[in-house]
Amino acid sequence: MTTTLRLTPHVGVQRTSSETVPLTELEPIYTELAEQWQTAGRLVPGRADEEWTALTRRSPWPAR
């Protein structure tokens, strides 16, 4: 038996050519948790990660 999971967007994503789902405010618990993580120096989903950006800008091959 094969099961297919279809993910559907919910926030701010255009469903059809004329319909757009309105953006909702972030949940207060998420906002507070994200602030705690950022204060502790942890990565926060949806925010820029300078280390990852620096790593992806470099060439994966050593210079010759």
Side-chain angles (χ1 to χ4, degrees):
M1 182 171 114
T2 303
T3 303
T4 303
L5 175 65
R6 182 173 296 203
L7 301 175
T8 55
H10 293 285
V11 178
V13 177
Q14 194 170 350
R15 290 183 181 170
T16 65
S17 60
S18 63
E19 180 184 10
T20 301
V21 178
L23 290 173
T24 58
E25 293 297 320
L26 293 175
E27 293 290 329
I29 192 167
Y30 172 79
T31 304
E32 185 177 333
L33 181 62
E35 288 173 10
Q36 288 177 3
W37 281 7
Q38 190 168 17
T39 302
R42 296 178 65 187
L43 298 179
V44 179
R47 297 199 183 156
D49 176 7
E50 291 93 23
E51 185 177 3
W52 178 254
T53 302
L55 287 171
T56 57
R57 285 187 179 156
R58 291 190 308 179
S59 173
W61 306 109
R64 289 188 176 196

